[in-house]
């Protein structure tokens, strides 16, 4: 491989990124037949890369750091400022252990049970409703179970607004203009709300069980022995609550997949746990959610003739890697069965990042995501019947994050 790294000719690709969305990196990887290319985004030189080998390089902590990678606009909407996503080294690993301790199989099981209870409860109301928008329902149910599980008090009257605030933070990450500002305002409201709760717990005005996310965030001690300041503890607790609510996007795509592939229903009705999991994995692979990730080069190195210079921004294509024809047979077909033979590794299937979550930045919440999706899929297939009226179920690959236009409308719902 002595080919030079392709340079995308445009003066600046920022507009192309807005126009091409999820396909921006993949379009160029295909055009240049190269795992990497150089581009300019927002006035800086960037290397974009895709595929399993690229993911291995991207998750090498000797080569990359997160400090300075996430733009302030993303921190002020999606992540929270100076939160775990922007940390490196020992301090990051220490904090990551705290997150991992909240996402063990018993926590996953508890959340999946809570989700099933809430769905069963909601259906009573749905039976007398003319129609229901699944995304809106999922957002609220997930907000309820996230707060209940985490130990965060939440009044019935608050659920809708809090849920919408969590979603607005996610919706803001790829947006400019009003959608972005909505996310920022939502974050400020949520941080103030959760910070007050952290303060009450620390002052012993609010009792919360040991082992819950609220308790653990409030009393976590950094390697230097100090607690997080109360705003930071709030930000990190939101880093657990918000993504649980974000599972509403995958749930909506799960319902769409069921609708588009009715033949799968029969297999899902057989109570075959393995098939349930295969279906959910294929939803996470096939449908778009996270587009790409960013990191900065820690020290100069060369890979595939690309000159990675210290401080350079590098983007890893998550969506493209999950549709890479070298890894996935007929990647643009929805085939849950592919996961039967899938031997997999930490770098080829990366809807929630790659690598070992205890050693790097990979999402700690994959187990929770999968279990909640499985419980919901079981509910949709085996616990209720419903009709899908005519509606716009298309989703954009340009808007990031995306969702079926209608949010998935259901009618004539009844319990089985
Ligand atoms: C809705 C489905 C989800 C998607 C698509 C998703 C996606 C991601 C992605 C792409 C990353 C970044 C990986 C990286 O930087 O290398 C991430 C990180 C993270 N996710 Fe998730 N996630 C989801 C659900 C969850 C859940 C349910 C939780 C917790 C309950 C969670 C908590 C986190 C945290 C704390 C991080 C930061 C980890 C770090 O920087 O070390 N996520 N997620």
């Amino acid at each position: 491989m002595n080919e030079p790294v392709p340079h995308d000719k445009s003066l600046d690709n920022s507009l192309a990124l807005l126009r091409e969305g999820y396909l921006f990196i993949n379009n160029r990887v295909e055009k240049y037949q190269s795992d990497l290319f150089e581009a300019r985004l927002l006035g800086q030189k960037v290397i974009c890369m895709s595929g399993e080998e690229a993911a291995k390089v991207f998750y090498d902590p000797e080569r990359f750091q997160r400090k300075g990678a996430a733009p302030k606009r993303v921190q002020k909407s999606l992540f929270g400022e100076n939160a775990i996503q922007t940390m490196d080294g020992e301090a990051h690993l220490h904090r990551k252990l705290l997150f991992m301790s909240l996402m063990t199989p018993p926590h996953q099981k508890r959340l999946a049970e809570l989700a099933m209870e809430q769905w069963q409860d909601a259906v009573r109301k749905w039976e007398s409703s003319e129609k229901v928008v699944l995304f809106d329902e999922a957002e609220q149910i997930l907000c309820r179970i996230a707060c209940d599980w985490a130990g965060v008090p939440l009044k019935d009257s608050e659920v809708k607004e809090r849920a919408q605030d969590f979603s607005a933070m996610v919706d803001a990450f790829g947006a400019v203009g009003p959608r972005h500002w909505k996310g920022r305002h939502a974050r400020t409201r949520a941080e103030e709300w959760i910070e007050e709760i952290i303060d009450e717990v620390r002052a012993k005005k609010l009792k919360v069980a040991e082992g819950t996310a609220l308790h653990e965030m409030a009393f976590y001690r950094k390697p230097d022995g100090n607690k997080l300041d109360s705003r930071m503890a709030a930000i990190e607790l939101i880093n657990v609550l918000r993504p649980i609510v974000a599972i509403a996007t995958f749930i909506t795509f799960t319902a769409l997949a069921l609708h588009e592939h009715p033949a799968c229903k029969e297999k899902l009705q057989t109570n075959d746990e393995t098939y349930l999991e295969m279906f959910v994995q294929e939803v996470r692979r096939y449908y778009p959610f996270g587009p790409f990730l960013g990191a900065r080069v820690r020290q100069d190195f060369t890979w595939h003739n690309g000159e990675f210079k210290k401080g350079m921004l590098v983007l890893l294509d998550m969506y493209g890697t999950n549709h890479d024809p070298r890894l996935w047979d007929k990647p643009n077909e929805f085939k849950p069965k592919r996961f039967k033979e899938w031997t997999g590794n930490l770098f080829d299937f990366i809807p929630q990042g790659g690598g070992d979550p205890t050693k790097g930045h990979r999402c700690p919440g994959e187990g929770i995501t999968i279990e909640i999706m499985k419980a919901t899929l079981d509910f949709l297939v085996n616990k209720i019947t419903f009709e899908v009226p005519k509606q716009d179920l298309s989703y954009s690959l340009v808007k990031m994050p995306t969702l079926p236009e209608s949010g998935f409308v259901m009618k004539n719902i009844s319990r089985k």
Side-chain angles (χ1 to χ4, degrees), residues 112-171:
E113 282 166 4
L114 285 172
M116 185 55 104
E117 278 170 26
Q118 284 292 326
W119 287 120
Q120 307 260 28
D121 235 33
V123 79
R124 272 172 221 149
K125 198 178 64 201
W126 297 354
E127 281 176 325
S128 52
S129 307
E130 206 213 310
K131 63 171 194 181
V132 153
V133 178
L134 182 63
F135 178 80
D136 300 347
E137 297 290 317
E139 189 182 69
Q140 290 186 38
I141 281 180
L142 291 164
C143 183
R144 268 182 210 279
I145 67 166
C147 290
D148 182 1
W149 162 79
V152 172
L154 180 72
K155 292 191 214 87
D156 277 349
S157 57
E158 276 182 291
V159 176
K160 192 169 172 192
E161 276 168 30
R162 298 296 185 199
Q164 286 176 347
D165 274 354
F166 287 129
S167 286
M169 292 178 212
V170 179
D171 195 46

Side-chain angles (χ1 to χ4, degrees), residues 58-59 66 79 83-87 92 96 99 102-103 111 149 236 239-250 284 289-290 292-294 318 350-354 357 360-366 368-369 372-373:
F58 185 84
Y59 280 100
R66 296 304 175 95
F79 295 163
I84 183 162
Q85 295 92 341
T86 63
M87 296 172 71
H92 171 251
K96 191 65 177 277
F99 280 89
L102 299 168
M103 299 184 192
L111 275 159
W149 162 79
E236 296 296 33
N239 266 328
V240 173
L241 303 173
R242 181 203 65 248
I244 294 179
V245 177
I247 301 171
T249 295
F250 274 152
R284 296 198 311 134
F289 197 177
F292 49 78
L293 293 162
M318 285 194 283
I350 55 170
Q352 295 178 225
H361 282 273
R362 189 192 190 112
C363 178
E366 282 187 290
I368 286 179
T369 306
I372 290 180
M373 286 174 74

Side-chain angles (χ1 to χ4, degrees), residues 317-336:
D317 188 8
M318 285 194 283
Y319 183 74
T321 304
N322 291 336
H323 292 81
D324 185 335
R326 294 168 298 181
L327 298 168
W328 309 99
D329 176 42
K330 301 201 178 84
N332 295 316
E333 286 181 19
F334 183 86
K335 294 198 298 182

